[in-house]
Amino acid sequence: MILLRRSVFFIIIPPTLQYSIQRICLLTSRKSTSHVESISSTQGQGGKKGMNMRPEESQQTYLRLLQKRLDVQAVLMLPESPFKEGAYYLIVAKLPEAEGTIRRILFQDQLIMEQWISIWQLEKGTVYGLEEKLAHMLACAEILIDHDGYMKQMKQKLFRLSDSLQKKLICREYSHLVLFFHQAKEWLQQGLALDAYHAFVQALHAWARLIVYEMGEHPQAALWAQVKQLDSSVYKLYEELSMNAETLEKRIELLVLAIEFAVTSRMKESVRFLIELMEAKAGPWRLQELMNHPAVQEADIQIPALIDKMVQRSFIQEVVCPDDENREQETCFILLS
């Protein structure tokens, strides 16, 4: 009698390879379900020719296909579509490759617009803030598919303005206000009224968003309608610039003192994020070092514009940093207590 012994082998897969396998599975799922979608759409046009499916039936079929896809985390629908007919869907993907994809498709004789965003984009938004248009869309959209309740929790995180994020966004908008105001005054001195007007409009928009963030809210698509409820004085400035019967030059001149006062009076609270960042280091900061800081780059803070104002108001002081390698002296900045 011959006894055969079974052998058991174990294969250890490195973490990097595990991630690659997962991505391949998700991408394969996307391709296979896309093929099913294509067939279903063809049936809607050919196999069911003469039978017009009701929009709600097409929507349910479409959502069932998305429900089966491994690369889809959640699906939301906007209450209004840019089309007279059809629907607009926000699809939250698990893989970053899908981010930014926009498709207009015909599914079972129904127009559908797909806009793909990724979970990485949303997670980043909780730290650095979302792009305003996307934030408005998410606020209005209804959740239709939500695996593990991810999107419900994410919407709560995105629209809860944490203290750290609020300081960062206020600093960003304040830096834009300072930058555009400086540009506007330069154009005005050169007699370039239209360029000055455009820069003043940008400065007022930055001021408006700054007010919204100070109130603990996110800017809405109808920004000035929102600001009118929060600070009517800034709304009136924008209204005067846009619709006053005075000459363009006169309208612009009326803004200078108002914005100058806002820049001066709001500085201390508006630059708290940058001050706390500089406090993390004992020594002086080089300008490029501040500009290249990840938190500054991600938030799109205009450091040169802020530094000049902070030096003028004695929040920081210029010091000389020797550069032994190039035998030069570079201007650096330290906080003043």
Side-chain angles (χ1 to χ4, degrees):
M1 180 182 296
I2 301 175
L3 295 179
L4 298 178
R5 180 178 299 174
R6 291 185 179 180
S7 298
V8 180
F9 297 92
F10 295 92
I11 301 176
I12 300 175
I13 304 176
T16 53
L17 183 56
Q18 291 177 13
Y19 177 70
S20 299
I21 293 173
Q22 182 184 22
R23 287 167 60 89
I24 292 170
C25 291
L26 289 173
L27 290 172
T28 303
S29 169
R30 180 187 299 177
K31 290 178 181 179
S32 61
T33 50
S34 295
H35 177 64
V36 173
E37 178 182 325
S38 175
I39 294 173
S40 179
S41 180
T42 303
Q43 289 176 345
Q45 298 173 25
K48 295 186 179 181
K49 195 172 182 179
M51 291 180 59
N52 292 324
M53 292 189 69
R54 290 182 298 175
E56 56 269 23
E57 292 177 347
S58 294
Q59 176 180 318
Q60 291 303 317
T61 304
Y62 171 77
L63 291 174
R64 281 196 294 270
L65 290 172
L66 290 177
Q67 181 88 34
K68 297 175 182 178
R69 292 182 59 159
L70 297 178
D71 60 329
V72 172
Q73 180 67 45
V75 178
L76 301 88
M77 184 175 72
L78 294 181
E80 295 181 1
S81 171
F83 311 116
K84 293 181 179 179
E85 298 179 357
Y88 197 115
Y89 294 95
L90 286 174
I91 303 174
V92 181
K94 296 179 180 179
L95 296 177
E97 288 84 352
E99 184 177 318
T101 301
I102 296 178
R103 299 199 311 156
R104 181 182 178 182
I105 62 176
L106 186 64
F107 181 84
Q108 296 180 345
D109 296 329
Q110 301 297 323
L111 277 176
I112 289 176
M113 175 73 87
E114 292 181 348
Q115 180 172 337
W116 290 71
I117 56 179
S118 71
I119 59 175
W120 317 111
Q121 186 178 359
L122 296 178
E123 295 289 350
K124 182 179 174 182
T126 63
V127 179
Y128 301 108
L130 277 178
E131 188 268 327
E132 290 174 16
K133 183 179 179 182
L134 178 57
H136 176 70
M137 294 171 73
L138 288 172
C140 299
E142 176 189 359
I143 300 174
L144 302 180
I145 297 174
D146 191 12
H147 295 299
D148 303 320
Y150 171 84
M151 200 61 222
K152 182 179 179 180
Q153 296 179 14
M154 179 54 64
K155 287 185 76 170
Q156 293 175 350
K157 288 182 182 179
L158 287 169
F159 296 107
R160 183 175 61 244
L161 204 58
S162 66
D163 182 60
S164 60
L165 179 57
Q166 184 182 36
K167 286 187 288 189
K168 190 181 301 182
L169 296 174
I170 286 174
C171 189
R172 180 187 71 187
E173 298 306 333
Y174 180 79
S175 72
H176 290 180
L177 170 61
V178 171
L179 175 65
F180 291 128
F181 181 52
H182 177 72
Q183 290 178 351
K185 289 194 295 183
E186 284 192 339
W187 295 132
L188 197 59
Q189 290 173 0
Q190 296 176 32
L192 302 172
L194 285 176
D195 293 299
Y197 170 79
H198 179 65
F200 269 116
V201 169
Q202 291 177 299
L204 283 174
H205 273 82
W207 191 357
R209 287 190 292 270
L210 173 62
I211 289 168
V212 174
Y213 287 128
E214 285 178 340
M215 295 297 180
E217 299 181 12
H218 287 271
Q220 298 174 4
L223 176 64
W224 287 105
Q226 183 183 16
V227 172
K228 186 178 182 180
Q229 304 299 320
L230 300 175
D231 192 331
S232 59
S233 62
V234 177
Y235 174 82
K236 288 176 181 177
L237 286 175
Y238 183 68
E239 194 174 43
E240 287 292 319
L241 178 64
S242 304
M243 297 183 288
N244 196 302
E246 297 282 354
T247 63
L248 182 60
E249 290 81 359
K250 188 66 175 178
R251 281 181 278 160
I252 290 174
E253 288 174 4
L254 292 173
L255 276 178
V256 175
L257 288 177
I259 297 183
E260 188 73 69
F261 177 76
V263 167
T264 303
S265 62
R266 292 175 180 270
M267 174 173 284
K268 185 175 181 179
E269 286 302 312
S270 298
V271 299
R272 275 201 304 151
F273 170 76
L274 185 56
I275 289 175
E276 291 175 6
L277 179 67
M278 295 181 71
E279 285 175 342
K281 178 182 174 182
W285 287 78
R286 286 178 165 81
L287 180 62
Q288 195 64 41
E289 187 180 5
L290 277 171
M291 294 174 64
N292 289 342
H293 194 283
V296 170
Q297 289 187 331
E298 290 286 355
D300 188 29
I301 296 173
Q302 303 299 312
I303 290 295
L306 282 187
I307 289 295
D308 288 341
K309 282 293 180 183
M310 291 174 72
V311 170
Q312 292 172 18
R313 292 291 307 280
S314 299
F315 283 93
I316 59 177
Q317 180 180 344
E318 292 180 320
V319 294
V320 175
C321 295
D323 187 346
D324 297 332
E325 185 177 341
N326 298 317
R327 296 182 179 180
E328 296 175 347
Q329 291 184 330
E330 183 178 352
T331 301
C332 300
F333 306 93
I334 57 171
L335 283 171
L336 294 176
S337 56

